[in-house]
């Protein structure tokens, strides 16, 4: 019998012959036994003292003795039962303790956590419990960069931090870096604070400094409101609270709310379907033209991925990219998009089209992989694409929210050394540091569409024109995203912005439609009278 079965069996015993049911019987038996013993003693004293020795009294005394024997027999049986249960529980706990160390990485451990958690919740109905899910962002990438041994060591240390933070509570572990804890609480606010403090402790583990890593710990909390709840549902809900966290680059704690349940179902579908989708060619690359603001000519494009989902239809990247950034799948998807772009450029060159540079987006997840640049260069070389045809877009959050910009800069430099251009995407959307701009190894600055939203205001005009001016002085190309009106086009032209991308010219379009554009003589958007 393995220990899981044993534990299940012990739980069974508890369910069937609830220990608490024994107690009144034992007390009852003890009371009768005490009464009978006292009676026999009185009888004996009475007889010794020379009292009557009637037949009735003798029979009664004999019955008393038998009754006492039966009571004691029963009592010792019950005690034996207790001892058996206790021994099994101790044995089971000991086995579990061993397994925790031995099978720290055993996926099946989650199932034991579920059994334990359900037993605890059911047998302590007066206590409030919350299911808290801890997850390290992109652990697979950490594993890739520091090696599996060190990755295991990190997980072991997280396990220790969590175990030390628990009172009478339990911890479980599922695939990869997913940990669950069942925490008791009195007030929800205090539980949230406690859960976040535990996450802080994980972030402050010494191992991160040793390995030069900046951890991102995501925490999802679900307050269990029903003692008969299937703990798997609580795990799912805590997980989805975590996935729903806004930024994938910052640590954070989130509490599950019913409103995220639709999104939860969508995320689950997305995660279930993503691998199959990549195999089945459901991801398609759209291209959005960029326009030279001085001439009005088409001068480049950005590759933007779409998912043609068999049931959900055409999905915008906003719906699935954050999920993939959370679970690491973005690395595979970005590579796919990159390869699609390379093979298309090769086809266009071979077909004699007007080939313009294409930019591709890459996520932060790539930066911890030591062969990021060489892999991309390998793919580019496979399609024999010359320098200058491909630009890598890195969003500003990748650089500015990172403790170690110098590492990100060195990857960017490697790309440039290998003939890629680098573009800083979404500049101005929140993280930017103008001070760092002069040190950044980039070729292009892409102003976020947010800059244009208030462009009618004088202050916004001053800010945008100064940024463009500064970028030009730093010899950077400036592209403005999200251009939607001719007023915006006029203003951007006036302040010397080089290129624009936006719905006023073209929306992102399927590859074949983009090919029609570059197959023509020369596309001039000013002549097309936009
Ligand atoms: P992004 O890289 O900043 O791309 C520009 C986004 O602005 C695109 O949204 C584009 O359709 C949208 N846009 C362009 N012109 C206008 C306009 O005039 N008005 C407005 N309101 N929007 C405009 P999209 O295609 O939905 O992509 C959203 C984001 O998803 C992208 O922002 C990028 O961060 C991410 N993304 C898209 N494809 C990929 C990919 O292959 N890999 C990665 N890592 N991220 C991607
Ligand atoms: Mg972009
Ligand atoms: Mg952008």
């Amino acid at each position: 019998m393995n220990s899981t079965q044993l534990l299940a069996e012990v739980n069974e015993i508890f369910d069937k012959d609830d220990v608490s049911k024994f107690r009144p019987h034992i007390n009852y038996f003890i009371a009768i036994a005490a009464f009978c013993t006292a009676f026999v003693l009185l009888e004996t004293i009475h007889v010794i003292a020379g009292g009557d020795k009637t037949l009735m009294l003798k029979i009664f005394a004999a019955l008393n003795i038998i009754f006492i024997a039966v009571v004691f027999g029963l009592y010792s049986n019950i005690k034996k039962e207790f001892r058996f249960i206790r021994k099994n529980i101790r044995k089971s706990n000991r086995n579990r303790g061993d397994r925790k160390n031995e099978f720290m990485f055993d996926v099946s451990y989650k199932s034991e956590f579920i059994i334990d958690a359900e037993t605890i919740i059911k047998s302590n109905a007066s206590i409030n419990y919350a299911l808290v899910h801890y997850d390290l962002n992109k652990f697979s990438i950490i594993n890739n960069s520091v090696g599996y041994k060190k990755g295991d060591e990190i997980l072991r240390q997280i396990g220790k931090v969590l175990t030390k933070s628990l009172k009478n509570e339990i911890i479980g572990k599922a695939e990869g870096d997913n940990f669950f804890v069942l925490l008791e609480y009195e007030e929800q606010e205090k539980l949230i604070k406690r859960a976040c403090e535990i996450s802080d402790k994980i972030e402050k583990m010494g191992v991160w400094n040793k390995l030069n890593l900046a951890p991102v710990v995501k925490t999802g909390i679900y307050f269990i409101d029903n003692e008969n709840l299937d703990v798997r549902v609580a795990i799912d809900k805590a997980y989805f609270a975590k996935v729903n966290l806004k930024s994938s680059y910052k640590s954070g704690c989130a509490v599950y709310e019913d409103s995220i349940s639709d999104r939860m179902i969508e995320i689950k579908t997305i995660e279930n379907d993503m691998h199959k989708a990549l195999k089945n060619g459901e991801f398609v690359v759209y291209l959005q033209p960029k326009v030279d603001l001085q001439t009005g000519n088409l001068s480049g494009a950005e590759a933007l991925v779409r998912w043609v989902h068999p049931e959900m239809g055409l999905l915008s990247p906003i719906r699935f990219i954050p999920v993939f950034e959370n679970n690491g799948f973005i690395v595979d998807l970005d590579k796919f998009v990159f390869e699609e772009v390379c093979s298309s450029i090769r086809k266009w060159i071979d077909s004699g089209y007007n080939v313009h540079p294409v930019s591709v987006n890459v996520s932060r997840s790539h930066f911890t992989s030591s062969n990021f640049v060489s892999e991309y260069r390998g793919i580019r070389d496979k399609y024999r694409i010359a320098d200058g045809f491909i630009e890598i877009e890195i969003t500003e959050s990748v650089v500015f929210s990172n403790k170690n910009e110098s590492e990100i800069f060195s990857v960017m430099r490697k790309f440039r050394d290998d003939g890629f251009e680098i573009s800083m995407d979404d500049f101005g959307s929140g993280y930017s540091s103008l001070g760092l701009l002069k040190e950044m190894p980039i070729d292009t600055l892409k102003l976020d569409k947010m800059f244009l939203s208030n462009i009618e205001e004088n202050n916004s005009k001053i800010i945008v024109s100064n940024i463009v001016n500064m970028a030009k002085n730093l010899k950077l190309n400036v592209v403005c995203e999200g251009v939607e009106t001719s007023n915006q086009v006029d203003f951007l032209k006036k302040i010397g912005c080089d290129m624009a991308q936006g719905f006023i010219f073209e929306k992102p379009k399927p590859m074949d439609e983009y090919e029609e554009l570059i197959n023509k003589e020369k596309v001039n958007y000013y002549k097309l009278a936009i």
Side-chain angles (χ1 to χ4, degrees), residues 290 302-304 359-362 392-395 423-426 446 481 501:
K290 292 177 197 167
E302 176 176 10
L304 294 158
S359 59
V360 293
N361 293 281
V362 294
I392 304 287
E393 290 199 12
I394 301 167
T395 78
S423 174
M424 165 111 319
D425 200 1
D426 303 335
K446 276 191 99 173
E481 301 186 280
Q501 180 182 339

Side-chain angles (χ1 to χ4, degrees), residues 34 50 58 75 107 121 186 195 217 222 225 264 297 324 341 358 383 392 406-407 409-410 414 460 464 475 528:
K58 279 181 198 157
Y75 179 60
V107 175
I121 296 166
E186 281 175 10
V217 185
Y222 177 67
D225 49 7
M264 180 176 127
N297 291 337
F324 296 165
V341 167
V358 177
Y383 294 94
I392 304 287
S406 61
E407 269 179 28
F409 285 180
S410 101
K414 272 194 215 153
S460 298
V464 177
K475 309 264 178 297
L528 288 175

Side-chain angles (χ1 to χ4, degrees), residues 31-32 34 44 67 84 88 95 150 156 167 221 229 232 241 297 304 314 349 429 434 494 500 506 524:
I32 296 175
T44 315
F67 193 57
F84 169 77
N88 277 348
N95 286 348
K150 287 200 177 115
R156 223 170 277 127
K167 298 173 193 162
I221 302 169
L229 180 90
R232 279 167 301 197
N297 291 337
L304 294 158
L314 186 70
I349 293 171
S429 63
L434 289 174
K494 203 170 86 194
E506 297 279 6
N524 187 290

Side-chain angles (χ1 to χ4, degrees), residues 242-273:
K242 182 212 78 171
V243 173
N244 213 39
L245 276 165
K246 294 270 176 315
S247 165
S248 44
Y249 304 127
K250 279 193 242 164
S251 294
C253 286
V255 176
Y256 175 85
E257 287 162 20
D258 284 337
S259 59
I260 66 171
S261 123
D262 287 349
R263 174 70 179 147
M264 180 176 127
I265 294 163
E266 181 175 290
I267 290 172
K268 199 155 199 170
T269 314
I270 285 173
E271 293 203 313
N272 283 344
D273 296 352

Side-chain angles (χ1 to χ4, degrees), residues 201-212:
K201 283 186 198 159
I202 298 174
E203 270 189 83
K204 286 182 185 139
M205 290 182 340
V207 69
W208 301 122
N209 270 346
K210 263 193 244 159
L211 298 173
N212 210 6

Side-chain angles (χ1 to χ4, degrees), residues 42-54:
L42 281 175
E43 274 296 294
T44 315
I45 292 164
H46 174 75
V47 170
I48 291 169
D52 296 344
K53 293 173 194 157
T54 61

